């Protein structure tokens, strides 16, 4: 089935949850969201889903592992008999695969870092075995463990917003470059549609932006690094706030994400 990265909006159009939804069968879906949103996601779904829909929290049943990078396809080809080429297993699709003799591992062809890779949801009884198999096969490709801040740096360089840090209940898709994920041209009703339509008609009052610190003005070795919460100025006038930051290792400079808006009487 296909995977859709989407959000759950409140009546003001803001994000109550930033998530991915995978279709596992004709009438069966799996929703994945950041671990800090586990109960928030479950409560929101339980509050709004029809009674005919069965909702189950399966977080504790699975171990999630991510393999990312340019050699991830070659690595996983060593561990599964299934074809992994882009035609057989396209991006943003999911399937059950045998991995290192462990059966029916839910595999998703997507990453949260903007590069080739896979996310595995492994039944807990197979988790250590699959992990060890990946580590062993990965020696050929120079596989390394990737920490939280390394992934944070990569997603900030790719201009990926993160719920709870960049996005919140008052941020709408129109304000953070995700309008294409809302089916505004369809007749499908959803919570927050009216508020989002108003932004489409009138325009937004704030905008999510990426800022690069000029090495001429900011010395990475001597000056303090931004960490989020810093004010943004344009022409010596306050215009917004930084949400998250990181050093961009491929860019060679500090990267800041944040929101800007016009605070003047004309804004």
């Amino acid at each position: 089935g296909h995977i859709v990265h989407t959000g759950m909006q409140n009546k003001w159009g803001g994000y109550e949850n930033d998530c991915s939804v995978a279709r596992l069968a004709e009438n069966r879906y799996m929703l994945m969201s950041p671990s800090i949103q586990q109960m928030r996601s479950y409560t929101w779904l339980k509050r709004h889903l029809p009674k005919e829909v069965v909702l189950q929290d399966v977080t504790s049943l699975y171990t999630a592992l991510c393999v990312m990078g340019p050699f991830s396809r070659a690595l996983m080809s060593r561990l599964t008999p299934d074809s992994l080429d882009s035609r057989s297993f396209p991006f943003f699709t999911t399937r059950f695969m045998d991995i290192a003799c462990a059966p029916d591992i839910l595999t998703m062809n997507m990453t949260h870092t903007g590069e080739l890779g896979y996310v595995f949801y492994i039944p807990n009884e197979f988790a250590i075995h699959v992990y060890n198999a990946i580590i062993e096969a990965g020696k050929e490709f120079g596989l390394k463990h990737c920490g939280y801040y390394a992934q944070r740096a990569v997603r900030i360089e790719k201009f990926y917003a993160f719920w709870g840090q960049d996005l919140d209940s008052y941020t709408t898709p129109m304000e953070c470059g995700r309008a294409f994920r809302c089916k505004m041209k369809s007749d499908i009703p959803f919570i927050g549609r009216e508020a989002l339509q108003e932004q489409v008609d009138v325009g937004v009052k704030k905008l999510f932006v990426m800022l690069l610190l000029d090495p001429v003005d900011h010395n990475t070795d001597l000056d303090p690094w931004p960490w989020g919460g810093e004010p943004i100025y344009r022409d010596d006038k306050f215009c917004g706030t930084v949400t998250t930051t990181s050093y961009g290792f491929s860019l060679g400079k500090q990267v800041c994400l944040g929101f800007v808006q016009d605070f003047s009487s004309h804004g």
Side-chain angles (χ1 to χ4, degrees):
H2 285 83
I3 304 169
V4 175
H5 189 71
T6 185
M8 296 180 189
Q9 318 307 133
N10 54 37
K11 64 180 181 180
W12 299 285
Y15 278 94
E16 290 296 330
N17 184 13
D18 183 39
C19 58
S20 298
V21 181
R23 187 172 191 172
L24 306 183
E26 183 177 355
N27 202 22
R28 182 168 173 250
Y29 300 86
M30 183 173 180
L31 181 143
M32 295 75 62
S33 60
S35 55
I36 59 172
Q37 297 187 58
Q38 179 181 349
M39 290 309 300
R40 183 185 184 93
S41 303
Y42 183 82
T43 303
W44 185 262
L45 285 168
K46 196 170 184 179
R47 185 183 304 163
H48 294 284
L49 283 176
K51 294 181 179 179
E52 302 80 36
V53 177
V54 177
L55 177 64
Q56 181 182 7
D57 185 351
V58 298
T59 304
S60 61
L61 301 181
Y62 296 95
T63 296
L65 287 179
C66 302
V67 175
M68 300 165 285
F71 298 119
S72 55
R73 180 179 290 160
L75 190 161
M76 295 312 303
S77 295
R78 302 284 197 275
L79 299 174
T80 179
D82 297 295
S83 177
L84 298 179
D85 63 83
S86 57
R87 178 172 295 182
S88 303
F89 193 12
F91 292 112
F92 285 95
T93 61
T94 183
R95 61 159 66 163
F96 289 94
M97 298 197 320
D98 294 345
I99 299 177
C101 297
D104 295 331
I105 305 302
L106 182 59
T107 305
M108 301 189 182
N109 189 350
M110 67 170 216
T111 68
H112 299 289
T113 55
E115 59 182 334
L116 182 66
Y118 307 93
V119 179
F120 307 104
Y121 289 92
I122 310 165
N124 290 332
E125 61 267 30
F126 300 130
I128 295 178
H129 166 71
V130 172
Y131 168 80
N132 288 336
I134 291 175
I135 295 299
E136 185 62 30
K139 292 179 181 179
E140 177 185 350
F141 302 97
L143 178 69
K144 295 182 179 179
H145 288 89
C146 178
Y148 168 79
Y149 286 104
Q151 293 190 64
R152 173 191 171 112
V154 174
R155 73 96 179 160
I156 289 177
E157 275 193 319
K158 293 291 290 187
F159 197 25
Y160 284 1
F162 189 73
W163 195 95
Q165 297 178 4
D166 303 305
L167 309 178
D168 58 25
S169 299
Y170 301 97
T171 307
T172 74
M174 309 306 171
E175 297 166 344
C176 61
R178 297 183 175 186
F180 66 94
R181 293 177 178 167
C182 302
K183 295 186 176 181
M184 303 303 295
K185 296 182 180 180
S186 72
D187 296 327
I188 301 174
F190 58 87
I191 300 173
R193 183 185 179 103
E194 293 76 13
L196 296 179
Q197 186 60 55
E198 182 179 353
Q199 287 191 327
V200 172
D201 297 336
V202 179
V204 297
K205 296 183 178 180
K206 65 177 181 178
L207 195 63
F208 191 53
V209 298
M210 172 190 280
L211 304 173
L212 304 180
L213 297 191
D214 192 332
V216 174
D217 298 321
H218 183 273
N219 188 314
T220 301
D221 295 327
L222 301 177
D223 295 327
W225 287 23
W227 192 248
E230 294 82 5
I232 301 173
Y233 288 87
R234 181 177 185 271
D235 296 333
D236 293 327
K237 293 182 180 180
F238 176 73
C239 66
T241 305
V242 173
T243 52
T244 54
T245 72
S246 176
Y247 181 78
F249 290 91
S250 64
L251 299 173
K253 58 185 69 176
Q254 292 283 346
V255 184
C256 299
L257 306 184
F259 284 92
V260 295
Q261 64 186 97
D262 185 356
F263 287 99
S264 70
S265 57
H266 305 291

